[in-house]
Amino acid sequence: MSIDIIISRLKKRYHPGKFGSKDPFRALIATVLSQRTRDEVTDRASEKLFAKYGTPAALEHADVGDIEELIREVGFYRIKAPRIKEIARIINNDFKGKVPSDMETLLSLPGVGRKTANCTLVYGFGKDAVAVDTHVHRISNRLGLVKTKTPEETELKLRETLPRKHWKHINELLVRFGQDLCRPVGPKCDECPIIEMCPGREGR
Ligand code: SF4
């Protein structure tokens, strides 16, 4: 089955990390910070934030201006600062300081959409979930795994067609592949390890 070959070749190239190894609270907040922001910027801002406010209790009581200062490199930091403070408050007060581990409850948190909830389930809890961002959406369509218009549709389609054993790997593998070779513009098809399986390759 070609999807098994695709996943195995991408794993060989990118050596994905261990899932569920991140603190669920940090996985959740870092994913909120990552919205419309490059990974390296998200990593820097998350590190600064968690060095000072690493738990829901600490973040709930933080000053919004101070949070803004710590995360000011990320996109929409003025919107995200009060939002993550509010998420911390809800987790602390309604869930005894523990991040909920089910999709429906995660989606009830402010600013948490399906991508953020799925990333939290994968990276924070090690659960089988399909986290679809722009890379996963674009590449799944290029490879012909799905034929969809939105990341939400892609998630639903992949949940139907992708073997469950691959669910939690698809995000990390396709994000790294999308940054490295299968870029939005000018993909490096001549270096691609799965070129023969790609109907969307350039220079056909
Ligand atoms: Fe992406 Fe090109 Fe590889 Fe297709 S052949 S998956 S477009 S890099």
Side-chain angles (χ1 to χ4, degrees), residues 24-182:
F25 179 66
R26 293 183 182 209
L28 168 62
I29 297 298
T31 311
V32 172
L33 294 181
S34 76
Q35 293 160 6
R36 299 189 180 225
T37 301
R38 291 201 317 279
D39 283 358
E40 60 273 24
V41 174
T42 302
D43 290 347
R44 267 202 308 273
S46 303
E47 226 170 87
K48 278 195 226 163
L49 178 75
F50 296 140
K52 196 159 179 190
Y53 305 113
T55 62
L59 191 57
E60 178 192 356
H61 296 106
D63 175 70
V64 174
D66 195 29
I67 299 174
E68 279 181 8
E69 207 44 54
L70 293 165
I71 66 164
R72 65 178 306 129
E73 277 187 280
V74 306
F76 303 97
Y77 71 97
R78 284 215 162 97
I79 295 172
K80 290 175 183 172
R83 184 173 283 165
I84 59 176
K85 181 177 158 86
E86 177 61 5
I87 290 174
R89 188 193 67 73
I90 295 170
I91 289 173
N92 221 13
N93 291 279
D94 298 357
F95 303 109
K96 298 185 177 150
K98 298 251 182 278
V99 175
S101 61
D102 67 284
M103 171 64 95
E104 206 177 313
T105 317
L106 283 167
L107 288 174
S108 71
L109 297 169
V112 175
R114 293 195 69 87
K115 185 197 91 171
T116 301
N118 279 315
C119 281
T120 306
L121 293 175
V122 171
Y123 298 112
F125 293 101
K127 288 194 168 190
D128 292 328
V130 180
V132 177
D133 73 341
T134 54
H135 293 292
V136 178
H137 175 59
R138 178 183 73 255
I139 298 169
S140 299
N141 274 280
R142 272 181 181 166
L143 286 170
L145 300 176
V146 299
K147 208 170 166 202
T148 52
K149 296 258 184 288
T150 65
E152 289 73 22
E153 276 179 61
T154 300
E155 184 204 329
L156 295 180
K157 205 72 206 161
L158 286 175
R159 286 168 67 97
E160 281 171 20
T161 56
L162 190 67
R164 202 176 174 98
K165 63 180 178 184
H166 297 316
W167 284 17
K168 64 181 160 213
H169 297 286
I170 198 83
N171 180 268
E172 183 179 5
L173 290 175
L174 294 193
V175 168
R176 293 179 65 185
F177 183 41
Q179 292 166 337
D180 175 28
L181 300 177
C182 194

